[in-house]
Amino acid sequence: MDTRDTTAPPHARSRHTADKHPNQRHRATYGVGLTHDNSRHTTRFTVIGNHLAQHPELSGLAIGLGVHIQSLPKDSRVDIKTLAARFPEGRTRIAAALRELETHGYLRRERHRIPGGRIITRTISCNQPGGRREPALAQTPSVPNKRTPHKPLPAVPRPSYPSPALIQQATDLLTGLRRHDSRLLLSACDTAHLAPGVATWLERDVTPTALRHALTTDLPPDPLRRPAALLAHRLTAQLPSPPPFRAPVSPESPRHPLQNCEGCDRAFRSPTPGRCHDCRTDLPEAA
């Protein structure tokens, strides 16, 4: 007579062993969890590091933009306007996502002056932040207690007669620019350097409102490394022509400072604030 093994049937042992398989539990939960259906890429692919694709601090939009930018060929346009035309998120969200990538080292923005004096912004995509730059930094000898000095600021125009009132008005305008754009926070030294250039515009009968608009409109979206240098360039490159039939100015016959008319906001010269000649003429009591 044959002898049976009554301890456990073979299929029971197999089932017990299968329960200990690390992936078996997921198979028994009706598809919960990720399964990859991958095919090998042979053309048109980009290698993306998991440090970007699975970054714990970047938003989904920032990760997506980072992947998209790394997949683009050299010299592609990746400014906010171009990306907003490509994606539906809008300029505000795209600008915020680009700042995230810049904060974590996936983007660098460098400003360069091209022939003709125009300043452009060049975007550099880093597929592994710090990966290539660390050896170069390690080989560079460090010089303790020594900083690389800033280049001197570009020269600015000079007014014909820099009266104290005119320079003070220019200084007040410069210190108020930060209320329009927080990046235009200027040091006292930078303000003193730029004030004559602003005074030259005011001397040419440009209203403070128009001058402020010229200095703060269409600024680059990226952080301004040297806002004073940008303002100095605009004060020089966009300087308007002197008004026609301008009377000569000398220290013996100083011109009154420009005032903003309280009626029409037009600039006029007067020792004190108030209304321009036309608005004073239009008043009922003047009639």
Side-chain angles (χ1 to χ4, degrees):
M1 178 180 296
D2 296 335
T3 302
R4 286 189 176 181
D5 183 359
T6 59
T7 58
H11 63 275
R13 284 198 304 271
S14 175
R15 188 164 54 246
H16 179 73
T17 303
D19 289 341
K20 294 183 178 181
H21 193 280
N23 293 330
Q24 184 63 30
R25 188 177 296 108
H26 297 288
R27 295 195 189 102
T29 54
Y30 302 99
V32 175
L34 175 66
T35 301
H36 290 285
D37 183 6
N38 293 338
S39 299
R40 183 179 179 84
H41 292 287
T42 57
T43 59
R44 294 180 56 80
F45 66 93
T46 303
V47 178
I48 302 294
N50 283 343
H51 51 82
L52 171 60
Q54 301 176 11
H55 200 286
E57 298 179 17
L58 289 176
S59 64
L61 177 56
I63 292 175
L65 280 181
V67 172
H68 173 72
I69 291 172
Q70 290 190 20
S71 71
L72 294 175
K74 183 181 178 182
D75 294 330
S76 297
R77 296 184 63 87
V78 289
D79 56 280
I80 296 175
K81 181 179 179 180
T82 301
L83 293 174
R86 169 65 177 80
F87 297 102
E89 279 77 9
R91 296 191 179 187
T92 301
R93 294 185 60 194
I94 286 177
L98 291 177
R99 287 194 294 270
E100 290 183 59
L101 293 171
E102 189 172 7
T103 299
H104 291 280
Y106 289 97
L107 287 183
R108 298 201 314 270
R109 294 172 180 175
E110 298 179 352
R111 305 187 67 201
H112 299 271
R113 187 182 298 275
I114 62 176
R118 192 164 65 93
I119 297 177
I120 63 171
T121 300
R122 181 173 298 161
T123 302
I124 301 173
S125 172
C126 307
N127 69 341
Q128 190 169 347
R132 292 186 177 182
R133 287 179 289 166
E134 288 177 354
L137 291 174
Q139 297 172 4
T140 303
S142 59
V143 180
N145 300 327
K146 189 174 182 179
R147 296 181 182 180
T148 302
H150 279 302
K151 292 182 180 179
L153 290 174
V156 296
R158 298 283 170 175
S160 300
Y161 177 64
S163 66
L166 186 62
I167 295 298
Q168 184 59 51
Q169 187 180 12
T171 302
D172 294 341
L173 188 147
L174 286 167
T175 55
L177 293 180
R178 59 187 175 184
R179 292 194 294 268
H180 298 269
D181 193 316
S182 59
R183 298 174 297 173
L184 298 178
L185 178 62
L186 303 172
S187 67
C189 182
D190 290 342
T191 302
H193 178 86
L194 298 172
V198 173
T200 305
W201 283 57
L202 297 175
E203 191 180 56
R204 298 189 177 191
D205 292 340
V206 178
T207 66
T209 301
L211 175 53
R212 191 179 299 111
H213 183 269
L215 295 178
T216 59
T217 301
D218 295 330
L219 292 176
D222 48 307
L224 301 178
R225 295 184 179 180
R226 298 193 69 193
L230 174 61
L231 296 177
H233 171 74
R234 289 195 171 190
L235 288 171
T236 303
Q238 302 178 20
L239 179 66
S241 301
F245 309 110
R246 181 183 176 196
V249 178
S250 65
E252 291 74 18
S253 58
R255 304 176 75 189
H256 292 306
L258 284 173
Q259 309 286 353
N260 271 12
C261 176
E262 297 175 356
C264 63
D265 198 37
R266 186 171 56 185
F268 71 102
R269 295 193 179 276
S270 172
T272 58
R275 293 175 176 265
C276 66
H277 177 269
D278 293 341
C279 289
R280 289 197 304 269
T281 305
D282 293 339
L283 291 175
E285 55 268 24

